[in-house]
């Protein structure tokens, strides 16, 4: 790839393939794989990443919101797409675009049945979400008889799958909690089995897939794993981050002792200090927490700490001891210096920093 001339997010689709195949190597060949591509495929690029996954024969997609699903349909995704957190105002758009809602409450169930009746659908696929301990969204075990009664008298919809979500599958010290979730989900499954044998079941997110083989059921849902993170050292080593955030030194300044840097004069040089200005700021996803010596970028294989306040469009870094020139490449994170240490420097996690990458940053693709 040519030398970087502006801030770009490089996305390596070969690494996506590697991660997809790694996930598949951890599951039974009969188990379906759902790719979670919400939030622009975790800040990368929803269209290109989803099209690659479709070529790799992923079985299902999931997004958080309706408009994300519409975007995938426009891009040419033909596989089933679950909308994890639909709003009733979008039910018509969901049906018009052949998206399938996650239905997690009687309020939604009632309103979705109304929408399907208005649009005269037959057996429209829905996915029922159950709460097994996350306490965020979902029906509970005791709701099943009432759900079944409602479905029985409405042939405008059909239950395609029943699912739940794990709360601490990445935490070794919380195995008992996860086991309880798996057990409760198994109980939910056996209640539905009595009524309908066509429904399929899914529970595991990336860490659930890797750490709990008993949680795979009929399909697994992987998000962060596809993008190269496994939430443990062991799996982080086997997966490959697909995105590298890179920039360039716009200008170099030399501050004399006592001179200040940036807004609010938040940095005052206590000695001669060489600084580099880089075209990426809080509007691009580098939050203000990274400023004032907390966060760092990589220049010429060395850590250059962000000094002063993070601006909207720029950061300034300390390069006093780094040999570099204007126009040189700056790595925010890549495969070697990953988003993990970068985000951990301010008490954040890979999920947050990668999804924060603003849409104005150009995406470039490596096939
Ligand atoms: C976001 C999400 C996932 C993906 O989780 P990862 O930890 O990124 O694999 C799976 N299932 C549901 C319901 C989600 O909301």
């Amino acid at each position: 790839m040519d030398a970087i001339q502006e801030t770009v997010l490089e996305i390596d689709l070969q690494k996506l393939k590697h991660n997809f195949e790694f996930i598949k190597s951890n599951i039974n060949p009969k188990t379906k794989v759902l790719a979670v591509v919400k939030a622009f495929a975790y800040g990368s690029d929803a269209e290109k990443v989803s099209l690659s996954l479709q070529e790799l024969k992923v079985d299902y997609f999931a997004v958080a919101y309706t408009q994300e699903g519409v975007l995938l349909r426009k891009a040419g995704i033909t596989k089933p797409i679950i909308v994890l957190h639909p709003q009733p105002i979008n039910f018509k758009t969901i049906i018009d675009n052949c998206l399938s809602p996650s239905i997690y409450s009687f309020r939604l169930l009632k309103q979705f049945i109304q929408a399907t009746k208005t649009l005269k659908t037959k057996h429209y696929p829905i996915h029922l979400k159950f709460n097994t301990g996350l306490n965020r969204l979902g029906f509970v075990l005791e709701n099943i008889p009432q759900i079944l009664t409602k479905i029985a008298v409405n042939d405008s919809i059909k239950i395609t799958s029943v699912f739940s979500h794990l709360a601490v599958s990445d935490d070794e010290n919380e195995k008992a909690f996860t086991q309880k979730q798996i057990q409760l989900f198994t109980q939910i499954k056996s209640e539905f089995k009595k009524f309908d044998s066509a429904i399929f079941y899914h529970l595991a997110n990336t860490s659930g897939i890797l750490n709990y083989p008993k949680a795979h059921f009929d399909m697994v849902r992987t998000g962060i794993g596809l993008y190269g993170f496994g939430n443990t050292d062991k799996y982080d080593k086997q997966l490959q981050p697909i995105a590298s955030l890179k920039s360039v030194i716009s200008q170099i300044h030399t501050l004399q002792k006592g001179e200040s840097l940036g807004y609010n004069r938040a940095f005052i040089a206590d000695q001669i200090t060489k600084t580099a200005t880089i075209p990426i700021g809080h509007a691009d996803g580098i939050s203000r927490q990274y400023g004032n010596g907390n966060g760092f970028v990589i220049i010429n294989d060395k850590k250059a700490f962000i000094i002063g306040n993070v601006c909207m469009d720029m950061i300034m870094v300390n390069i006093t001891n780094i040999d570099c020139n204007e126009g040189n490449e700056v790595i925010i994170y890549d495969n070697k210096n990953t988003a993990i240490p970068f985000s951990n420097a301010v008490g954040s996690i890979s999920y947050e920093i990668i999804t924060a990458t603003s849409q104005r940053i150009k995406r470039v693709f490596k096939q």
Side-chain angles (χ1 to χ4, degrees):
M1 206 165 281
D2 296 335
I4 297 299
Q5 303 196 22
E6 61 181 328
T7 304
V8 296
L9 188 72
E10 278 181 9
I11 299 161
D12 188 332
L13 299 171
Q14 272 315 111
K15 294 198 166 79
L16 178 71
K17 180 165 185 257
H18 165 89
N19 297 336
F20 180 72
E21 280 165 3
F22 179 74
I23 296 286
K24 289 211 61 144
S25 74
N26 278 274
I27 61 174
N28 185 305
K30 283 192 209 122
T31 307
K32 287 197 260 284
V33 181
L34 175 150
V36 181
V37 292
K38 61 195 180 192
F40 301 102
Y42 287 41
S44 60
D45 183 284
E47 288 105 320
K48 286 259 186 9
V49 163
S50 302
L51 286 169
S52 290
L53 291 165
Q54 184 163 266
E55 253 176 60
L56 293 167
K57 306 213 173 342
V58 76
D59 300 285
Y60 257 81
F61 287 95
V63 293
Y65 298 116
T66 304
Q67 286 313 319
E68 298 179 306
V70 172
L71 190 77
L72 294 194
R73 285 285 180 249
K74 288 200 173 122
I77 297 299
T78 53
K79 298 267 168 152
I81 302 171
I82 301 179
V83 179
L84 293 168
H85 199 172
Q87 317 297 319
I89 192 170
N90 298 315
F91 281 165
K92 185 178 182 311
T93 308
I94 284 182
I95 295 166
D96 288 346
N97 287 276
C98 288
L99 308 172
S100 304
S102 156
I103 300 293
Y104 57 83
S105 69
F106 285 112
R107 176 181 69 95
L108 283 199
L109 182 60
K110 187 171 158 218
Q111 296 195 50
F112 195 70
I113 288 171
Q114 267 168 11
T116 53
K117 281 187 166 162
T118 307
L119 295 166
K120 298 192 173 34
T121 67
K122 257 259 178 307
H123 304 306
Y124 197 90
I126 65 168
H127 302 266
L128 296 182
K129 185 173 205 176
F130 277 75
N131 176 18
T132 55
L134 186 60
N135 293 326
R136 190 173 68 176
L137 296 175
F139 288 107
V140 292
L141 177 71
E142 293 70 29
N143 295 147
I144 295 176
Q146 202 187 333
I147 295 169
L148 292 178
T149 310
K150 286 220 186 310
I151 304 277
V153 296
N154 283 293
D155 67 353
S156 65
I157 56 167
K158 77 153 191 274
I159 307 169
T160 298
S161 83
V162 168
F163 74 107
S164 185
H165 195 30
L166 297 172
V168 280
S169 56
D170 55 341
D171 189 344
E172 262 203 85
N173 300 316
E174 290 276 13
K175 283 203 165 130
F177 189 90
T178 301
Q179 296 299 355
K180 260 177 76 181
Q181 283 198 272
I182 296 171
Q183 203 183 348
L184 178 53
F185 188 64
T186 305
Q187 211 180 333
I188 290 165
K189 172 179 163 174
S190 55
E191 289 304 309
F192 278 100
K193 277 259 175 208
K194 291 180 201 159
F195 155 85
D196 186 340
S197 60
I199 298 173
F200 70 91
Y201 301 84
H202 46 112
L203 176 63
N205 60 343
T206 300
S207 287
I209 298 166
L210 299 173
N211 302 329
Y212 294 90
K214 291 224 160 64
H216 292 181
F217 294 89
D218 304 307
M219 181 164 83
V220 295
R221 303 186 305 269
T222 178
I224 199 80
L226 292 173
Y227 310 107
F229 302 94
N231 298 335
T232 63
D233 285 347
K234 178 180 160 201
Y235 293 121
D236 284 336
K237 284 202 186 80
Q238 290 170 283
L239 293 160
Q240 300 178 352
I242 68 162
S244 301
L245 184 56
K246 297 181 177 177
S247 192
V248 62
I249 298 176
S250 298
Q251 197 175 23
I252 290 175
H253 291 273
T254 302
L255 306 180
Q256 300 303 316
K257 186 175 172 186
E259 281 192 299
S260 65
L261 175 69
Y263 287 128
N264 314 107
R265 305 188 64 211
F267 177 84
I268 308 276
D270 61 2
Q271 58 182 351
I272 291 180
T273 304
K274 236 172 85 185
T275 71
T277 302
I278 300 163
I280 187 166
H282 63 70
D284 301 296
I286 309 295
S287 82
R288 275 173 56 100
Q289 290 164 281
Y290 284 92
N292 298 312
N294 294 321
F296 57 86
V297 301
I298 306 292
I299 298 173
N300 210 352
D301 278 329
K302 292 209 175 76
K303 273 187 188 177
F305 282 87
I306 302 169
I307 49 176
N309 284 328
V310 171
C311 312
M312 189 182 295
D313 314 302
M314 283 166 252
I315 52 174
M316 282 77 89
V317 301
N318 192 337
I319 52 161
T320 306
N321 298 311
I322 301 175
D323 184 21
C324 58
N325 295 304
E326 292 180 355
N328 282 174
E329 184 173 280
V330 177
I331 290 163
I332 318 297
Y333 53 75
D334 66 2
N335 239 322
K336 204 163 96 212
N337 301 285
T338 74
I340 298 169
F342 185 76
S343 55
N344 289 353
V346 300
S348 181
I349 56 171
S350 59
Y351 290 82
E352 185 180 15
I353 187 68
I354 64 173
T355 56
T357 316
S358 82
Q359 289 300 305
R360 77 173 174 183
I361 293 176
K362 184 172 163 187
R363 269 69 172 164
V364 295
F365 297 89
K366 249 171 148 166
Q367 285 302 328

